[in-house]
Amino acid sequence: LGDIPAAARRLGENGARAITLMGTSLSFFKGAEFNQKLAETISQASGLPAVTMSTAVIEGLRAMNVRRLAVATAYNDEVNSRLGGFLEESGFEVLAMKGLGIVQIAGVNNVEQRDLLRFCIGVFRTAPEADGMLVSCGGLRTLEILAELEGQTGVPVVSSTPHALRAGVRLLGLSGRAVGYGRLLSQG
């Protein structure tokens, strides 16, 4: 957990009202139990409600009644394997998963949204029986493509950053509603 408790304490001391740990792979890499412990550690250290990015996407998928997933990621095969295990521990069936093979966070800056949209649609087409899609990596810019991706696939799509931000504002009692950015964000 390293510096996370101290950082959480500082956030609480400096007026934060809730904490969202941004970093999908950071929070799922060691499994569901570690992810839960991470959120609890942040909350205990800060005295604030806390959520991780991985918990946020799980909550989003559950809110959309998704169980069978097509998953597009920025990751390599090793990280995808860890994500697959986390998703299965969390009650989901992963029908397809493919990553862009990015191993350094700076690499996500080179991913154009049109290319990401095409990639995600391609992943979904390998598992058209999926009832939802996850796009995993907080560095991928997905907000602007969520509605179009849902239109192309016909299923709800949850992605790391937009849905982690939704979970974070919901900790403050706000809806997280953002109409026009996919099903979940449109309903709040």
Side-chain angles (χ1 to χ4, degrees):
L1 295 172
D3 298 332
I4 291 174
R9 258 190 303 284
R10 283 192 304 275
L11 287 170
E13 292 166 357
N14 287 306
R17 294 180 32 219
I19 298 174
T20 303
L21 177 76
M22 302 299 277
T24 324
S25 58
L26 168 68
S27 49
F28 72 65
F29 196 77
K30 292 184 180 179
E33 186 176 319
F34 177 81
N35 175 62
Q36 181 63 36
K37 182 179 178 186
L38 191 55
E40 290 169 0
T41 297
I42 292 167
S43 187
Q44 289 169 356
S46 65
L48 301 170
V51 67
T52 69
M53 194 173 261
S54 293
T55 297
V57 298
I58 294 299
E59 289 174 354
L61 292 166
R62 288 181 179 151
M64 298 308 299
N65 295 311
V66 171
R67 294 288 174 250
R68 303 174 76 209
L69 290 171
V71 182
T73 79
Y75 317 131
N76 63 22
D77 290 342
E78 178 185 350
V79 179
N80 279 345
S81 176
R82 299 285 185 126
L83 175 58
F86 173 78
L87 291 168
E88 289 171 6
E89 283 181 84
S90 301
F92 298 92
E93 182 181 356
V94 178
L95 303 180
M97 182 181 304
K98 186 171 182 183
L100 294 168
I102 297 171
V103 294
Q104 295 184 339
I105 192 66
V108 297
N109 296 329
N110 299 324
V111 179
E112 298 291 328
Q113 286 183 304
R114 285 285 139 212
D115 296 333
L116 180 59
L117 179 63
R118 279 191 294 277
F119 175 73
C120 292
I121 291 168
V123 172
F124 181 80
R125 286 184 180 151
T126 67
E129 65 278 16
D131 59 8
M133 182 162 205
L134 171 63
V135 183
S136 184
C137 178
L140 293 173
R141 289 183 25 237
T142 58
L143 179 65
E144 295 86 358
I145 67 168
L146 287 173
E148 186 172 353
L149 183 53
E150 288 182 340
Q152 294 277 336
T153 62
V155 300
V157 178
V158 171
S159 66
S160 295
T161 297
H163 295 95
L165 294 172
R166 173 189 178 270
V169 300
R170 289 173 67 85
L171 291 176
L172 299 172
L174 303 171
S175 73
R177 187 169 188 236
V179 176
Y181 295 103
R183 296 179 195 179
L184 183 57
L185 292 177
S186 290
Q187 74 182 29

